[in-house]
Amino acid sequence: MSLFDTSAYTIAKKVRSGELSAVAVLDEALSHIQAIDGSPGTLDGDWLTNGELLTDDEKNKVHAFITLTAERARQQAVSIDARVKAGEPVGPLAGVPLTIKDIFCVRGIRTTAASRILANFTAPYTATAVERLEAADALTLGKVNLDEFTYGSSTESSAFKPSTRNPWDTTRVPGGSSGGSTASVAAGEASLSLGTDTAGSIRQPAAFCGVVGLKPTYGRVSRYGLIAFGSSLDCPGPVSRDVRDAALMLSAMAGEDSRDSTAARQPVPDYVAELDKGVKGMRIGLSPDYMQITFPDPQTGELVTQHLPDEIRQATLQAAEALAAQGAEIVEDIPMPNTAYGIPAYFVISRVEAASNLHRFDGVKYGYRTQSDFEDLHEMYRKTRAEGFGLQPKLRILMGMYVSAAQYSEQYYQRALRVRSMIRNDFEAAFDPDGAYRVDALLTPTTPTTAFKMADVYGDSVLMQYADQFTVPANHAGIPGISIPGGLDADGLPIGIQLLAPDFMEETLFRAGYAFEQATADAVWRKQRPQVLR
Amino acid sequence: MTDYETVIGLETHIQLNTTTKIFCGCKADSWEQPPNTNICPVCSGLPGVLPVLNEAAVRKGALLAAAMHSEIRLTSYFDRKNYFYPDLPKGYQISQYDISLGGGGFLDLPMPDGSMRRVNIAKLHLEEDAGKTKYENGVRYVDFNRCGVPLVEMVTGPDLRSADEAAQYLIRLRQLLRWLGVSEADMEKGHLRCDANVSIREMGSTVLNTKTEIKNINSIEAVRTAINTEVERQIALVEAGGRVEAWTLDWDDALKRLKKMRSKETEADYRYFREPDLLPLKLDEAWRDEVLELLPELPLARRTRFMTDYDLPEYDADILTGDRPISEYFEAAVKAYGGDPKAVSNWIMNEILRMLNDLGLAADELTITPEHLAAVIRMVDAGTINNATGKAVLAKAQTSGKSPESIVEEEGLAQVSDDSALQAVIDQVLAANPDELNSYRNGKEGLFGWFMGQVMRETRGKADPQLTRQLLAKALKGE
């Protein structure tokens, strides 16, 4: 059995029936990780930055993990098998290997946020999403790499090196910030991974790694235990190899939480049961504003428009055709005029929240404290934070402090909040059942490019951020979005297509995504395997 | 020399006496607990935690807002006040900034001349308390137990005109907080904390001059002393041609001295923004009405009513509305008694308050009920017992839990008011003291009291004093 070829759904079914033992699944996963993951990310791995000093062998590994929790997973597996044997109930994710983005607290396990400042932090409590996945009997294989504090789109800003590589081409980035999550699933190390999406941090790396990634509606999954980036934007969500597995995982972890008052009380449907309802009669929209990249010129501030690579455009249109063939009605030319302002508004809002969220890392209570001498409290703060934070947190703190300062807040932060409402209005107009367009979902490319080479854009924070142009509007609006594999480009790299739906209509995304999978089941590109599995 | 007027505004922090903290399930009260033993991931600011608002804190805050005549806003927001300090574990305080639970309001202070001073409320909002920092041998220790205790911050306008008025405001506020049951309001325990903004101006002027802020004034007496000290400093400074600067001062109560903490010019920008981890605080009118129904008659209104309804002097009304239990005790006793309320007032002010003071109890914790008190007063009125016996009976009722009537009955304390029995005692006393009788009859009328005492001793105090006086006067005259 190879995890790459077996879905979480099937594993759980077989484990439940006793046909497959959870311990056997675990052994398979661990030996596969052993074979293809290479060295885990470590702080001492700094000298390996950009892979220049990596051995050729290490350069061809995935490096998804920071912390492997084989012992925890083994205890879980043994318990599941015992319960199956005794005829006792097991959960819907029984025996399914799971990785967790190392931004979620898990009791007793190191939780680093891929930052030096938390490198020695062991959480005394478990995040709600993780707690629910474990309660559903998933096997917790370990914590996987990410951009430091989730700040990035390539996983290269992790303080834990080597950073994760793209399983389809190990000279390329897996995307980010949930790069460890999508790479571990793409490489068949795990069936599922728990990621987070603040501007596209699940969907963009899912597109780059050729897996399914869902950003649920804001509040659909509890944020309790997720180390916050942009608290008003952050969404935990599933990474999986197919749509059904994402539906299965979301069902297990969604729902209200007494520890998160922003978690929605909305009942959680059985997403898997709804899957094969198909797309007949579903109105799916295409928008010209998602078929180009628009950004303000850094010098003049004027908006510059760039066309998308043709392959990405084509993949999106082909998906539309495939869905139309299944009975969906394609509605063209939906205006989403504020899409271009998503990134600038996101820059401001997320950084204000991030700077504030990072205040608690001060060397007083937990985590890193400067090892050098300090005269007073302020010097301890300064040194701790200067040494503990990497470049990305520092940039975000600087910008966040600046745009929320009393004299600038109106000009930047308050204005960005108004832009955010305008973006939300675009979606409301498109989805309005009594409006001009009445679409059930929008179909867009997930990203303007496929996976870029390692070190290509790292450090060019602006360019990296525009990788999120098509994904960030959903975070502003709070609506759900899914990225599903939609083909391969000429270099054999995965292309992601995105579906966006109204609040709490994840079901629509799953139905459309599943229908697309069915329609393209025999496509040639689906037979291709990632480089590390060839 | 110029006459100066003092202008004071007070900023108070009030700990609400909820069971749990404002954003987590830890107990709100950590009194005498060892440092950092009443904490959890939420209130100690671990990575990834989220606040969940405690409705009880909102309820108590809204009740206080109502009592301060503030508007209870149906939608208010929580914001982050960002600053670094070791006892602030998240690096920001969750507070309310521009749209807070309470809007406006005032507290009226009765002035000694009978007038009222209206003190306007500029801000009334909910927030979380920070921890405590202490220094020992050059080491800074942080205790997070207090983190997350619900607070109401209340800021007055510049409406107070003397240190005494400021003290008066705090006394009235403390009375109100306890009256409402929203805070223990014990300043020594930090339930009620106060900072004062102080400036001076020439008498008759209406400008607001540069003020200084005095921090850490944590008793009523300290408020008086600290403000007076600062006013003297400011006057001396201005008289000498100087200019008051916007300093923040720290009151050292042990040394009775003000210490400059910082210049206001360097004050931090707290970069307030909406707390994304909490939803807007939305209340509906039904909820507000429910809270308002719990709003009792306020001390000042009750004080006025006691003066008009019961014809009590202001002095009595003030004392009898000192706290809610005593005011309720008084009214219940008046009702049970049915006679002159002033008689009840006298008994409470003389006997009950002394008893409460000695026992350290509140009126609603007494064993003797208002009905018991009324019974005692009635027995005295009826001449069944005299005043002194009445007091003794009250004390016995408190310790034994028995009703005053049964104590009088069991111990045979009822007064002798039978003419012939008393006459017999008087005859006996006169016969036993011929010398004194002679002296009296020869004009030493001051001995009347001595004879009264003898009769009382013989009857063990049970003699009806009025009747005794009457019969004794006749007997002494030889009638």
Side-chain angles (χ1 to χ4, degrees):
Chain A
M1 187 205 70
S2 155
L3 286 181
F4 183 79
D5 299 314
T6 316
S7 70
Y9 181 83
T10 306
I11 291 173
K13 204 161 105 181
K14 289 186 172 175
V15 168
R16 249 195 320 274
S17 71
E19 191 185 335
L20 183 63
S21 90
V23 169
V25 177
L26 177 64
D27 286 339
E28 158 76 20
L30 291 176
S31 70
H32 187 50
I33 291 165
Q34 175 72 30
I36 67 161
D37 204 58
S39 311
T42 60
L43 276 186
D44 304 330
D46 264 359
W47 58 275
L48 298 167
T49 306
N50 299 337
E52 276 157 27
L53 295 174
L54 283 180
T55 62
D56 284 348
D57 183 46
E58 289 277 22
K59 281 182 184 169
N60 290 321
K61 303 290 189 192
V62 181
H63 306 290
F65 282 83
I66 289 179
T67 307
L68 193 67
T69 57
E71 234 356 87
R72 189 182 185 99
R74 190 161 300 279
Q75 282 172 18
Q76 293 165 335
V78 167
S79 151
I80 293 163
D81 287 342
R83 276 178 284 148
V84 169
K85 209 168 168 195
E88 290 167 21
V90 290
L93 297 178
V96 174
L98 167 77
T99 59
I100 294 162
K101 187 177 183 177
D102 201 9
I103 194 76
F104 288 94
C105 289
V106 181
R107 188 188 170 101
I109 293 181
R110 188 168 65 140
T111 297
T112 69
S115 179
R116 176 176 300 274
I117 212 157
L118 277 180
N120 65 1
F121 176 69
T122 297
Y125 76 101
T126 299
T128 299
V130 176
E131 201 173 85
R132 289 179 181 174
L133 294 170
E134 291 194 328
D137 284 325
L139 306 178
T140 314
L141 296 183
K143 310 290 282 299
V144 288
N145 219 332
L146 62 147
D147 283 294
E148 183 174 2
F149 280 104
T150 80
Y151 304 159
S153 307
S154 70
T155 310
E156 291 167 296
S157 70
S158 172
F160 287 70
K161 294 283 167 32
S163 68
T164 308
R165 295 171 164 253
N166 193 315
W168 289 83
D169 176 349
T170 51
T171 67
R172 292 178 187 267
V173 300
S177 64
S178 308
S181 288
T182 56
S184 66
V185 172
E189 296 174 317
S191 304
L192 300 174
S193 187
L194 176 61
T196 65
D197 191 313
T198 306
S201 274
I202 287 176
R203 289 161 290 160
Q204 183 258 19
F208 281 14
C209 290
V211 295
V212 173
L214 173 80
K215 171 222 162 316
T217 311
Y218 184 79
R220 178 72 297 182
V221 178
S222 166
R223 291 184 294 121
Y224 187 76
L226 153 63
I227 300 176
F229 167 11
S231 311
S232 73
L233 302 154
D234 294 342
C235 295
V239 173
S240 62
R241 226 164 293 116
D242 64 32
V243 169
R244 186 171 53 186
D245 282 0
L248 183 68
M249 182 167 168
L250 184 65
S251 295
M253 66 180 178
E256 68 174 293
D257 181 8
S258 60
R259 292 169 296 186
D260 177 2
S261 41
T262 65
R265 300 238 166 98
Q266 198 95 353
V268 182
D270 180 349
Y271 294 113
V272 178
E274 307 291 326
L275 274 182
D276 46 18
K277 282 189 175 171
V279 291
K280 206 165 166 52
M282 198 182 269
R283 286 171 63 85
I284 294 178
L286 292 172
S287 171
D289 297 304
Y290 278 83
M291 289 297 186
Q292 62 192 22
I293 278 287
T294 310
F295 54 90
D297 183 288
Q299 257 66 52
T300 66
E302 275 174 39
L303 290 180
V304 181
T305 299
Q306 265 182 21
H307 289 295
L308 286 188
D310 201 45
E311 288 168 305
I312 288 180
R313 188 186 166 81
Q314 283 311 318
T316 311
L317 295 176
Q318 277 162 19
E321 276 167 29
L323 288 166
Q326 300 281 307
E329 192 182 334
I330 304 299
V331 187
E332 288 187 70
D333 294 329
I334 312 281
M336 303 292 287
N338 294 297
T339 308
Y341 307 110
I343 293 290
Y346 164 76
F347 259 55
V348 173
I349 294 168
S350 69
R351 277 144 182 78
V352 169
E353 293 180 2
S356 173
N357 285 330
L358 289 178
H359 274 190
R360 70 187 65 196
F361 306 106
D362 57 5
V364 172
K365 308 164 287 282
Y366 45 73
Y368 179 79
R369 179 186 290 180
T370 184
Q371 300 300 299
S372 60
D373 292 339
F374 46 87
E375 288 289 308
D376 59 11
L377 178 67
H378 286 275
E379 195 178 359
M380 190 281 279
Y381 283 156
R382 269 199 306 277
K383 286 186 169 175
T384 294
R385 290 166 65 87
E387 295 159 19
F389 286 134
L391 176 65
Q392 291 302 325
K394 285 175 187 163
L395 288 173
R396 277 155 169 88
I397 290 167
L398 287 173
M399 182 165 166
M401 300 289 262
Y402 183 85
V403 295
S404 63
Q407 68 270 41
Y408 297 121
S409 175
E410 178 53 36
Q411 186 183 346
Y412 290 107
Y413 183 63
Q414 300 302 331
R415 195 160 151 215
L417 291 178
R418 289 194 289 275
V419 171
R420 186 172 181 177
S421 304
M422 289 159 62
I423 291 170
R424 166 91 193 171
N425 293 343
D426 283 356
F427 285 109
E428 283 181 357
F431 295 138
D432 183 355
D434 303 316
Y437 311 105
R438 304 179 306 282
V439 297
D440 298 296
L442 283 166
L443 172 66
T444 79
T446 309
T447 53
T449 65
T450 52
F452 32 85
K453 290 273 186 192
M454 295 192 80
D456 254 14
V457 294
Y458 183 68
D460 186 341
S461 193
V462 173
L463 201 66
M464 249 172 71
Q465 291 298 333
Y466 281 94
D468 295 335
Q469 178 148 69
F470 300 149
T471 46
V472 76
N475 299 80
H476 281 307
I479 61 164
I482 195 168
S483 177
I484 52 179
L488 297 175
D489 72 3
D491 296 326
L493 297 171
I495 297 171
I497 55 169
Q498 177 179 240
L499 286 155
L500 302 168
D503 294 343
F504 299 106
M505 292 309 289
E506 283 83 357
E507 180 196 322
T508 303
L509 302 179
F510 291 140
R511 276 169 56 194
Y514 188 71
F516 175 72
E517 281 179 352
Q518 304 302 304
T520 56
D522 298 324
V524 178
W525 57 268
R526 286 210 182 268
K527 310 296 172 204
Q528 295 295 314
R529 291 169 80 89
Q531 174 200 323
V532 297
L533 292 176
R534 276 172 223 149
Chain B
M1 196 181 124
T2 326
D3 268 349
Y4 291 96
E5 182 177 53
T6 307
V7 179
I8 302 162
L10 294 182
E11 213 175 293
T12 48
H13 285 93
I14 299 149
Q15 284 190 346
L16 300 176
N17 58 356
T18 51
T19 312
T20 57
K21 293 183 178 180
I22 187 166
F23 297 127
C24 65
C26 290
K27 281 187 297 132
D29 182 11
S30 303
W31 187 246
E32 289 189 333
Q33 279 198 224
N36 299 310
T37 55
N38 184 29
I39 58 173
C40 73
V42 175
C43 59
S44 54
L46 288 191
V49 297
L50 298 170
V52 175
L53 181 61
N54 175 357
E55 201 209 334
V58 183
R59 215 167 259 279
K60 296 203 172 206
L63 196 61
L64 176 56
M68 299 303 291
H69 315 281
S70 296
E71 175 204 355
I72 299 173
R73 294 201 177 101
L74 292 181
T75 303
S76 63
Y77 298 89
F78 284 93
D79 300 272
R80 288 190 186 175
K81 180 180 181 178
N82 296 284
Y83 65 95
F84 285 98
Y85 205 68
D87 64 19
L88 188 71
K90 297 189 295 295
Y92 55 84
Q93 180 190 27
I94 303 179
S95 181
Q96 294 191 299
Y97 183 50
D98 53 341
I99 304 177
S100 59
L101 178 63
F106 61 86
L107 182 66
D108 281 335
L109 298 184
M111 294 284 105
D113 66 359
S115 69
M116 284 287 176
R117 164 84 70 213
R118 176 154 295 188
V119 183
N120 290 297
I121 300 303
K123 281 195 78 168
L124 191 160
H125 68 247
L126 286 170
E127 61 184 27
E128 58 179 339
D129 210 341
K132 287 184 196 164
T133 304
K134 75 170 184 188
Y135 297 89
E136 237 166 56
N137 308 321
V139 182
R140 184 193 302 257
Y141 292 93
V142 186
D143 176 7
F144 291 146
N145 282 352
R146 202 178 69 181
C147 289
V149 172
L151 289 182
V152 167
E153 180 177 326
M154 224 159 67
V155 183
T156 75
D159 298 337
L160 296 155
R161 293 290 170 266
S162 69
D164 277 341
E165 286 187 22
Q168 201 41 234
Y169 174 83
L170 283 178
I171 290 167
R172 290 291 173 187
L173 176 61
R174 184 175 61 185
Q175 173 194 27
L176 181 67
L177 294 170
R178 291 176 177 165
W179 189 277
L180 297 170
V182 298
S183 173
E184 303 307 312
D186 189 337
M187 289 190 81
E188 277 178 16
K189 292 185 181 174
H191 300 149
L192 173 58
R193 310 197 289 269
C194 175
D195 303 332
N197 291 306
V198 180
S199 65
I200 55 165
R201 64 189 175 198
E202 280 184 25
M203 197 60 86
S205 162
T206 53
V207 296
L208 288 174
N209 288 321
T210 305
K211 62 180 195 284
T212 54
E213 184 180 1
I214 313 174
K215 295 263 185 201
N216 293 323
I217 350 182
N218 291 324
S219 73
I220 306 277
E221 220 18 71
V223 167
R224 277 203 189 89
T225 328
I227 292 176
N228 280 330
T229 307
E230 174 56 8
V231 169
E232 279 166 31
R233 186 190 73 86
Q234 290 191 12
I235 291 176
L237 184 68
V238 171
E239 288 284 307
R243 196 171 56 85
V244 175
E245 285 178 75
W247 288 349
T248 301
L249 303 161
D250 184 52
W251 175 247
D252 186 329
D253 203 44
L255 299 174
K256 306 275 177 257
R257 234 171 35 201
L258 291 163
K259 202 177 74 193
K260 182 183 166 186
M261 288 169 81
R262 59 179 179 264
S263 297
K264 271 280 177 187
E265 284 71 29
T266 59
E267 200 182 31
D269 171 3
Y270 292 114
R271 296 181 297 108
Y272 281 98
F273 69 96
R274 295 266 182 266
E275 168 56 275
D277 291 335
L278 290 167
L279 302 173
L281 175 52
K282 296 218 190 252
L283 309 170
D284 57 35
E285 286 182 33
W287 186 94
R288 181 166 65 184
D289 293 347
E290 207 185 298
V291 169
L292 291 178
E293 261 174 44
L294 297 173
L295 189 67
E297 182 182 31
L298 298 180
L300 216 56
R302 189 163 288 178
R303 177 179 178 272
T304 309
R305 187 167 58 78
F306 280 9
M307 288 162 67
T308 52
D309 285 12
Y310 303 126
D311 213 17
L312 291 186
E314 183 175 332
Y315 178 79
D316 291 38
D318 205 42
I319 289 179
L320 291 176
T321 52
D323 64 53
R324 198 164 150 192
I326 198 71
S327 71
E328 281 163 4
Y329 197 93
F330 167 74
E331 288 218 271
V334 166
K335 202 171 161 207
Y337 172 57
D340 181 10
K342 176 63 180 156
V344 177
S345 169
N346 289 345
W347 274 89
I348 290 185
M349 300 219 295
N350 293 324
E351 294 311 311
I352 301 293
L353 285 179
R354 187 174 45 74
M355 201 182 278
L356 292 177
N357 210 25
D358 290 349
L359 300 173
L361 294 177
D364 55 352
E365 295 165 331
L366 274 180
T367 309
I368 33 173
T369 63
E371 291 70 26
H372 289 155
L373 175 63
V376 169
I377 306 175
R378 269 197 309 267
M379 284 192 281
V380 171
D381 286 351
T384 314
I385 53 175
N386 61 27
N387 243 311
T389 307
K391 292 173 188 178
V393 168
L394 274 181
K396 278 184 186 155
Q398 173 63 24
T399 44
S400 69
K402 291 179 184 166
S403 76
E405 290 94 333
S406 60
I407 291 169
V408 168
E409 169 89 41
E410 282 168 23
E411 303 194 10
L413 300 175
Q415 288 187 131
V416 179
S417 48
D418 179 299
D419 284 27
S420 55
L422 251 188
Q423 191 62 53
V425 174
I426 290 170
D427 291 348
Q428 190 193 324
V429 166
L430 264 54
N433 300 286
D435 292 351
E436 285 75 6
L437 181 62
N438 257 336
S439 304
Y440 181 86
R441 288 184 173 162
N442 290 331
K444 206 171 174 189
E445 292 186 1
L447 280 171
F448 187 87
W450 184 83
F451 280 107
M452 275 294 286
Q454 294 305 305
V455 175
M456 286 295 168
R457 207 178 63 182
E458 287 299 314
T459 59
R460 285 184 298 129
K462 292 185 291 179
D464 179 330
Q466 226 175 325
L467 186 61
T468 306
R469 192 169 286 118
Q470 217 178 328
L471 294 175
L472 184 62
K474 278 188 188 170
L476 285 170
K477 282 183 202 154
E479 286 171 6

